[in-house]
Amino acid sequence: EAQVTQNPRYLITVTGKKLTVTCSQNMNHEYMSWYRQDPGLGLRQIYYSMNVEVTDKGDVPEGYKVSRKEKRNFPLILESPSPNQTSLYFCASGRGQQPQHFGDGTRLSIL
Amino acid sequence: GQQLNQSPQSMFIQEGEDVSMNCTSSSIFNTWLWYKQDPGEGPVLLIALYKAGELTSNGRLTAQFGITRKDSFLNISASIPSDVGIYFCAGLTGGTSYGKLTFGQGTILTVHP
């Protein structure tokens, strides 16, 4: 079954404590991307990757890091999380440069 | 960054009615995408549009890529209760920002049986 898997699904943590949200896809897609969803703002792209070792900033990259060492994985790293990064996060993958499959989301609360 | 204005923000309709929503931008996009999001889930891709003027259907859904490349619309015909959800448009940039995706704010659709 085609899947984009995010972990964890829920996380409550404190300001400044480094965290990583993992994303894995089993469809051999070149394109992967991360989004945050906030009420009234829709989805905003954080980072995207066109292929292994190729990453670019989206609209809201500040405070986030990504890496693409393998085709199937695209982790999102928050080195020093702050409360304004409390949000619902989605990872997506696809062929070409469009996200066709989204994960089920990760709800982060940073206190 | 670029912005997409999606309207309406919400719609309350009766089952069987047709629905129309649209997105406009001050920027040109190379690709327009339409997604639907159900509560507690990630968005699902409904329709992708690649050329100015293109009209594409997916069952009861029809979407068009505007001639100016700055707008797109989505129509849903004969709505049913399972059409309830949030619909998002998204535009893909070309050139040096190839792969950069901008979403509209979403249209919340409620269908009364």
Side-chain angles (χ1 to χ4, degrees):
Chain A
E1 182 189 349
Q3 274 190 330
V4 176
T5 304
Q6 296 178 226
N7 279 297
R9 293 290 314 278
Y10 304 91
L11 179 64
I12 301 173
T13 188
V14 295
T15 299
K17 186 177 180 182
K18 180 179 178 179
L19 67 93
T20 299
V21 185
T22 63
C23 176
S24 179
Q25 51 98 359
N26 63 358
M27 295 161 280
N28 203 36
H29 285 158
E30 296 86 11
Y31 182 85
M32 296 187 75
S33 50
W34 275 102
Y35 305 85
R36 60 178 290 173
Q37 185 172 24
D38 302 289
L41 296 176
L43 291 116
R44 293 178 291 169
Q45 191 180 53
I46 303 171
Y47 271 96
Y48 62 98
S49 170
M50 300 297 288
N51 214 324
V52 176
E53 303 290 2
V54 180
T55 63
D56 273 299
K57 296 177 181 178
D59 282 328
V60 289
E62 295 79 18
Y64 304 95
K65 284 175 60 177
V66 293
S67 68
R68 188 89 183 274
K69 294 185 171 59
E70 307 164 279
K71 202 170 191 179
R72 63 182 291 124
N73 295 321
F74 191 44
L76 179 70
I77 303 154
L78 284 72
E79 295 269 5
S80 183
S82 62
N84 64 12
Q85 292 178 297
T86 292
S87 188
L88 177 59
Y89 291 85
F90 288 100
C91 178
S93 73
R95 297 202 184 283
Q97 78 274 32
Q98 63 192 50
Q100 295 160 310
H101 296 269
F102 280 76
D104 287 332
T106 295
R107 190 167 291 280
L108 284 184
S109 292
I110 300 162
L111 307 177
Chain B
Q2 295 164 314
Q3 287 188 327
L4 289 183
N5 296 312
Q6 187 171 348
S7 64
Q9 287 188 337
S10 61
M11 302 183 74
F12 298 84
I13 63 169
Q14 291 293 131
E15 183 177 358
E17 290 183 0
D18 296 344
V19 172
S20 184
M21 59 191 79
N22 68 82
C23 275
T24 60
S25 173
S26 58
S27 305
I28 288 174
F29 290 104
N30 286 350
T31 300
W32 282 94
L33 306 167
W34 285 92
Y35 295 87
K36 181 191 178 205
Q37 185 178 27
D38 291 327
E41 299 183 11
V44 172
L45 181 62
L46 299 173
I47 292 179
L49 302 158
Y50 302 106
K51 293 191 300 188
E54 180 181 354
L55 187 71
T56 297
S57 294
N58 178 5
R60 293 178 296 104
L61 278 60
T62 302
Q64 184 157 27
F65 192 143
I67 292 290
T68 64
R69 295 168 63 194
K70 294 181 179 181
D71 61 341
S72 177
F73 73 76
L74 175 71
N75 284 345
I76 306 173
S77 63
S79 58
I80 59 178
S82 62
D83 290 334
V84 166
I86 306 176
Y87 291 80
F88 291 100
C89 63
L92 264 171
T93 308
T96 55
S97 298
Y98 192 70
K100 191 170 184 180
L101 187 66
T102 302
F103 278 83
Q105 304 97 320
T107 295
I108 302 171
L109 179 63
T110 303
V111 180
H112 293 288

